[in-house]
Amino acid sequence: MKQLLKKEFIFTALPLCYLFLLFSGMTMIPGYPIAMDSFFLCLALFQSMQSRREQNDLSYTLLLPVSKKQVVRANYLFCIGLQMLFFLLCAILTAIRMQVLSQAVVYTENAMMNANPAYLANILLVFLAFNVLVPGLYWKTGYGLGIPFVLFSVAALLIVTAGEILHHLPGLEGLNAPTGQGMLQIPVLLLCAAAYALGSWRAAERAAQNFETVDL
């Protein structure tokens, strides 16, 4: 497994995957649906999976002394690893906005989602949708990627849109507090973090089981 992970992070991943970590900087943009930054990392992960497919990397990998389940799990660990790195960068920038820039006019008068725990929760839901729909459906065949990514794109748009709408509803205004003091923000983040962890684990295990039945 260690060698498979090394292969994923060093040899299989496109440079785009690491370059698009810079989109975490969108956390600092006012007046913009900042949770869309997570979509760009997922786009890079999709492009990396597509590149591997076109290079027939899967056939080569399966010639190695590894099981199909290990190949799937390594792919999931790669995706989750980059997602968590991206999340960490967003969390650091969110802390800066909440502690240092919370009184800046561009943020206090921001009608869009502010950078706070609720925003981080939104990012985790987008990543969960990717893990369930893109690698989750891809490993059913070891080939199909187009439809899974379209489904994910729709799901991501709905998740981000919901995040932008909820804080405008009566009683939910605290979700957009720029200082992160809304009573709902931390529980929402913890709930979404639990959903991400459990959902991604379940998606990985199901994908591994599905790929076991695929005849390449």
Side-chain angles (χ1 to χ4, degrees):
M1 179 63 76
K2 181 179 178 180
Q3 295 303 317
L4 279 176
L5 284 174
K6 181 178 179 181
K7 175 180 174 295
E8 288 281 343
F9 280 96
I10 298 178
F11 300 108
T12 304
L14 291 177
L16 199 66
C17 292
Y18 301 105
L19 178 63
F20 273 29
L21 290 172
L22 296 176
F23 276 99
S24 59
M26 291 172 62
T27 302
M28 307 301 290
I29 302 177
Y32 187 85
I34 55 177
M36 281 302 296
D37 56 2
S38 54
F39 176 83
F40 292 102
L41 177 67
C42 294
L43 175 62
L45 294 174
F46 162 74
Q47 292 285 352
S48 187
M49 293 176 67
Q50 189 175 50
S51 174
R52 175 170 57 186
R53 182 191 65 182
E54 299 309 316
Q55 295 176 24
N56 205 26
D57 178 79
L58 185 56
S59 296
Y60 161 75
T61 302
L62 292 176
L63 292 176
L64 302 175
V66 295
S67 68
K68 286 184 174 180
K69 285 187 176 181
Q70 287 177 319
V71 172
V72 175
R73 288 168 180 161
N75 177 235
Y76 263 96
L77 288 174
F78 164 70
C79 292
I80 291 171
L82 282 186
Q83 288 168 359
M84 288 298 95
L85 179 55
F86 188 91
F87 180 83
L88 176 61
L89 293 173
C90 289
I92 292 172
L93 294 175
T94 295
I96 293 174
R97 271 188 61 166
M98 289 169 55
Q99 299 299 321
V100 181
L101 303 172
S102 62
Q103 300 305 314
V105 176
V106 292
Y107 294 140
T108 57
E109 298 181 359
N110 181 27
M112 307 296 283
M113 180 184 294
N114 276 311
N116 56 37
Y119 153 67
L120 297 175
N122 205 280
I123 288 177
L124 290 177
L125 291 181
V126 173
F127 286 159
L128 174 58
F130 178 85
N131 294 342
V132 171
L133 293 172
V134 180
L137 295 179
Y138 167 75
W139 290 112
K140 281 188 173 182
T141 62
Y143 186 80
L145 271 171
I147 292 178
F149 188 74
V150 170
L151 293 175
F152 159 70
S153 299
V154 173
L157 179 60
L158 292 175
I159 292 168
V160 174
T161 301
E164 293 291 349
I165 291 174
L166 284 176
H167 64 83
H168 291 289
L169 300 179
L172 297 178
E173 297 88 348
L175 288 174
N176 206 39
T179 56
Q181 294 176 348
M183 293 180 62
L184 289 175
Q185 290 188 18
I186 297 300
V188 165
L189 175 58
L190 293 176
L191 181 61
C192 290
Y196 172 81
L198 180 60
S200 297
W201 174 74
R202 286 291 301 147
E205 289 304 301
R206 182 174 298 178
Q209 292 173 5
N210 288 336
F211 191 53
E212 280 281 290
T213 65
V214 175
D215 184 3
L216 296 175

